């Protein structure tokens, strides 16, 4: 279940600072997943307690190659707030 909902953790300079400051972890998730499914998937996969989930849809950009243009796919991003004292090591590669 959690494999089809969680696509990948997003590790950037901004998300790393949010992990340290606000205890938020950012994931790319399935476009059809809702907040409850995302919360259950993170709790099951990582074994942590989740306080809240905020989601947004990142709209795909219009890209051109010469005279041809196309659009990248939309994707969903989830900001997952972990409970006090919980942590996830997203830098670890499995």
């Amino acid at each position: 279940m959690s494999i089809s909902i969680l696509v990948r953790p997003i590790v950037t300079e901004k998300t790393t600072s949010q992990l340290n400051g606000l205890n938020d972890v950012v994931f790319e998730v399935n476009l059809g997943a809702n907040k409850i499914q995302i919360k259950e998937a993170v709790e099951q996969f990582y074994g942590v307690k989740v306080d809240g989930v905020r989601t947004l849809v990142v709209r795909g950009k219009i890209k051109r190659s010469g005279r041809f243009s196309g659009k990248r796919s939309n994707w969903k991003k989830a900001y997952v707030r972990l409970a006090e004292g919980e942590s996830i090591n997203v830098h670890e590669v499995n």
Side-chain angles (χ1 to χ4, degrees):
M1 175 181 137
S2 63
I3 300 300
S4 62
I5 293 174
L6 299 176
V7 177
R8 67 182 175 103
I10 299 174
V11 181
T12 61
E13 189 174 344
K14 181 180 177 181
T15 61
T16 304
S17 67
Q18 283 189 321
L19 176 63
N20 296 333
L22 301 173
N23 212 17
D24 280 356
V25 183
V26 185
F27 292 97
E28 179 182 344
V29 295
N30 188 333
L31 196 56
N34 62 31
K35 293 180 181 184
I36 297 168
Q37 292 171 333
I38 295 168
K39 178 181 176 179
E40 290 173 353
V42 171
E43 287 179 343
Q44 178 185 357
F45 191 75
Y46 290 102
V48 295
K49 178 87 171 97
V50 174
D51 273 349
V53 177
R54 295 169 299 167
T55 61
L56 63 115
V57 174
V58 180
R59 301 294 173 189
K61 297 179 178 181
I62 304 293
K63 291 292 182 178
R64 288 184 47 136
S65 177
R67 64 185 178 136
F68 303 105
S69 66
K71 181 181 175 292
R72 289 187 178 171
S73 300
N74 297 339
W75 57 284
K76 188 178 249 188
K77 185 189 294 190
Y79 290 86
V80 178
R81 170 92 25 112
L82 300 178
E84 192 68 35
E86 299 282 353
S87 66
I88 294 176
N89 187 6
V90 293
H91 302 290
E92 185 176 282
V93 178
N94 290 333

